Amino acid sequence: MSTTESTNVLVIGSGIAGCAAALSAARNGDNVALVTKATHADETSTGWAQGGIATTRHDADQFKQDIIDASDNTADPNAVDILVNEAPSVIEDVLIETLDVPFDKENDEFAYGQEAAHSTRRILHVGASTGKHILRPFFEYLQNHQSVRIYDDSTALELITEHDTVHGAIVEDSNTSRVIFAGNTILATGGIGTLYPYSTNPSAATGDGIGMASLVGAQTADMAFVQFHPTAYAADDPDELFLISEAVRGEGAVLRNGNDVRFMPDYHVDAELAPRDVVARAVSSERSQTGTVYLDVSSFDFESTFPDLAAKCEQHDVDIDAGIPVAPAQHFLCGGVVVDTHGRTTVDGLYAVGECARTGVHGANRLASTGLLEGLVWGVRAGNDAAGKSATAVETPDVTTIDPQLPDQFTDAKFKRIQQIVGRSAGITRTRDDLQNAQAELRRIKGEIDAYARTRTSRSLYELRNAAVTALLITQAASETDSVGCHQLVESADPAPQM
Ligand SMILES: Cc1cc2nc3c(=O)[nH]c(=O)nc-3n(C[C@H](O)[C@H](O)[C@H](O)COP(=O)(O)OP(=O)(O)OC[C@H]3O[C@@H](n4cnc5c(N)ncnc54)[C@H](O)[C@@H]3O)c2cc1C
């Protein structure tokens, strides 16, 4: 079955960035369609966020400097100004007054947390499960909003364009193909974790927004800057992997190698609280030299400070007293679809917000707990800017040929191959040779996918196509960019497995 609908604003993705964009467009009186692969608010990186959301206290200049320092001096100062200056009012308006997020308090005052590379305590949090306490009420609020229509378990397959302008998207759920025409379309599709064999991200993070935007000619930038979190639980099975928040090191946990030696003071003056890229490389190097790295949490009461993480450790039979084995895993993409200060891409009618967008805030390396904040601030800005335009119906590609017979093995096998290529060539350290070989193979794979995509529409095939496009953008950018921040080129790759 196929249907056609129209809306003022189409938002693709229901993490913090998409929800914020939908809210602000609806506040302007617009009709909003919010399309999401998720069936539940928790199935997003936002829902999985642990440590919290950074805010500005009485330290705006220092906060800006911390972001710029963490980025290896590459963050865009204008974007950083917007983020830091607007943080308190947007958090107050959306998260506190509208959604009543129960941020932790002490003596009636917010209990601000500390994280790596922040020079002061400025992280608002709800235990170590901040994301779900933000996103559940956000999703519920929008479900009850009369101007917002949510299509869950629905995937945007491709953008509709005419004369270099985006007019909406083709969306598929389990039994319907929908053409949704929109005055403006906002991509809020999150990250790219599923392109890697080991990632902290949920499985929906297949790079769709970046792939779709790139296919209609939108510019991308900073795609080399893939951030690896230094402390994921070191599971052999990627499905068992979970994140141990930076907040744990903020509370005093230290990293020890296989010889029980604390090593971070040898790598950086801030030791365990050094920027993420520094800690990730150190953990990777110590793992290859000494076999293992673990997080020693014996200096404080881990179970009562981080009850959710303690429960996760118990589920995975981790003996906390012996230390939590950790390894780096893909975590965040600092680059993405190029946008301006209002989230506008380089293509008319198309916006991008959140992790799929490149605002310039993160430069070559993101400061902890600024991802949620960026999604919130740019989501609100983009929703405001995109509001007030009516949809135009234009000609669309044929969407009636959903083919459930697409061989599962084809998409599964190609996806696994992409993960192997990207994990090997665009890990914590990279070589130009590997990156060039990777591009050649990715181009071949993309050619095969395109041949299928001409005749069939299905979620798995379009995710695969977006993954291939995004993987090409990453490997190409990485081969053309000098080492900085979380992108490090070396002469020969570390033979140790890179998670
Ligand atoms: C485990 C973990 C912990 C983290 N902890 C923190 C933290 O403490 N603080 C912090 O600031 N940041 C943290 N981050 C980073 C931060 O959570 C993310 O960068 C941020 O939430 C991204 O928000 P988003 O709205 O851009 O994307 P997401 O929250 O990932 O949402 C993306 C949405 O897009 C949908 N989608 C994707 N493709 C399509 C498509 N084709 N059609 C329809 N829908 C689509 C998905 O279903 C999902 O709803 C963490 C990340 C992870 C993974």
Side-chain angles (χ1 to χ4, degrees):
M1 197 178 97
S2 163
T3 66
T4 299
E5 293 157 43
S6 287
T7 186
N8 296 115
V9 174
L10 168 63
V11 179
I12 303 172
S14 64
I16 193 166
C19 287
L23 174 73
S24 70
R27 279 177 169 175
N28 279 278
D30 269 24
N31 288 321
V32 178
L34 177 62
V35 170
T36 176
K37 283 184 195 174
T39 50
H40 187 277
D42 291 359
E43 293 165 13
T44 55
S45 289
T46 302
W48 290 12
Q50 295 185 353
I53 181 164
T55 190
T56 315
R57 298 177 70 188
H58 302 292
D59 60 340
D61 288 344
Q62 189 54 54
F63 188 7
K64 290 173 193 172
Q65 197 55 51
D66 288 351
I67 294 174
I68 288 169
D69 289 347
S71 77
D72 234 350
N73 280 314
T74 56
D76 173 350
N78 292 331
V80 175
D81 276 355
I82 289 173
L83 187 85
V84 170
N85 296 343
E86 295 187 6
S89 57
V90 178
I91 289 175
E92 176 70 26
D93 169 18
V94 179
L95 301 189
I96 297 172
E97 285 182 5
T98 308
L99 303 176
D100 201 16
V101 176
F103 289 120
D104 288 354
K105 291 190 172 174
E106 251 170 36
N107 305 325
D108 266 357
E109 303 283 330
F110 288 124
Y112 295 96
Q114 174 78 60
E115 290 196 2
H118 284 272
S119 56
T120 187
R121 288 185 168 266
R122 59 164 80 92
I123 320 292
L124 289 165
H125 57 93
V126 188
S129 319
T130 310
K132 75 176 179 207
H133 290 283
I134 291 176
L135 205 56
R136 284 179 186 174
F138 216 157
F139 204 69
E140 200 180 310
Y141 185 89
L142 294 173
Q143 276 173 325
N144 293 324
H145 199 297
Q146 58 178 13
S147 307
V148 180
R149 184 144 182 217
I150 297 182
Y151 300 86
D152 63 3
D153 200 10
S154 297
T155 304
L157 302 181
E158 63 179 318
L159 298 168
I160 300 165
T161 53
E162 190 178 83
H163 305 312
D164 298 327
T165 300
V166 171
H167 291 280
I170 294 170
V171 173
E172 182 200 292
D173 65 21
S174 51
N175 48 31
T176 317
S177 263
R178 253 177 248 286
V179 173
I180 304 184
F181 291 119
N184 278 307
T185 300
I186 303 179
L187 297 168
T189 53
I192 55 142
T194 309
L195 272 59
Y196 281 81
Y198 292 92
S199 167
T200 62
N201 293 188
S203 60
T206 46
D208 291 3
I210 296 168
M212 286 189 284
S214 179
L215 287 168
V216 299
Q219 211 179 314
T220 59
D222 292 351
M223 292 296 291
F225 303 136
V226 178
Q227 188 172 66
F228 292 80
H229 199 289
T231 57
Y233 165 59
D236 289 334
D237 177 355
D239 291 337
E240 297 284 301
L241 186 153
F242 64 95
L243 181 74
I244 315 284
S245 166
E246 218 126 31
V248 175
R249 277 173 282 134
E251 287 303 316
V254 296
L255 287 160
R256 296 189 188 281
N257 64 20
N259 303 326
D260 289 333
V261 174
R262 184 181 173 205
F263 55 85
M264 273 316 298
D266 297 337
Y267 285 84
H268 196 278
V269 60
D270 293 330
E272 279 78 6
L273 297 185
R276 245 176 213 180
D277 59 319
V278 177
V279 186
R281 281 194 295 276
V283 170
S284 177
S285 165
E286 293 291 327
R287 268 171 59 83
S288 60
Q289 288 171 51
T290 70
T292 185
V293 165
Y294 67 93
L295 203 52
D296 173 356
V297 296
S298 58
S299 63
F300 64 99
D301 186 347
F302 180 70
E303 280 93 338
S304 66
T305 318
F306 297 103
D308 296 354
L309 280 175
K312 269 204 167 140
C313 287
E314 203 179 321
Q315 272 167 29
H316 290 78
D317 290 330
V318 178
D319 176 2
I320 291 168
D321 295 333
I324 307 167
V326 290
Q330 189 285 340
H331 186 58
F332 184 85
L333 177 65
C334 301
V337 184
V338 170
V339 295
D340 67 8
T341 54
H342 295 283
R344 299 181 202 121
T345 71
T346 51
V347 172
D348 282 349
L350 186 66
Y351 291 69
V353 290
E355 195 170 331
C356 70
R358 185 271 185 198
T359 60
V361 158
H362 307 301
N365 190 33
R366 174 179 73 117
L367 179 66
S369 284
T370 55
L372 292 176
L373 183 58
E374 183 198 38
L376 181 64
V377 168
W378 257 264
V380 167
R381 286 182 148 249
N384 268 326
D385 199 79
K389 202 167 142 203
S390 301
T392 309
V394 298
E395 203 169 314
T396 60
D398 182 14
V399 291
T400 56
T401 54
I402 290 182
D403 184 353
Q405 302 309 319
L406 178 76
D408 282 346
Q409 298 96 319
F410 175 80
T411 49
D412 288 355
K414 292 296 172 205
F415 222 111
K416 284 212 175 69
R417 187 64 199 134
I418 289 175
Q419 288 179 333
Q420 284 166 353
I421 297 169
V422 175
R424 189 200 62 222
S425 64
I428 290 180
T429 53
R430 298 123 182 229
T431 71
R432 282 211 160 89
D433 279 353
D434 275 350
L435 287 161
Q436 266 145 17
N437 293 337
Q439 286 169 68
E441 196 178 349
L442 287 167
R443 274 195 201 98
R444 274 198 301 277
I445 292 175
K446 172 146 185 314
E448 291 176 49
I449 301 166
D450 284 345
Y452 266 114
R454 264 181 228 120
T455 55
R456 301 155 204 249
T457 52
S458 83
R459 169 177 170 168
S460 61
L461 185 63
Y462 278 71
E463 284 180 334
L464 184 64
R465 181 164 79 157
N466 290 322
V469 171
T470 307
L472 265 168
L473 291 167
I474 292 170
T475 46
Q476 191 174 343
S479 69
E480 291 168 358
T481 308
D482 290 336
S483 294
V484 60
C486 53
H487 165 62
Q488 292 294 320
L489 287 170
V490 293
E491 287 301 312
S492 66
D494 188 338
Q498 296 187 355
M499 289 186 73

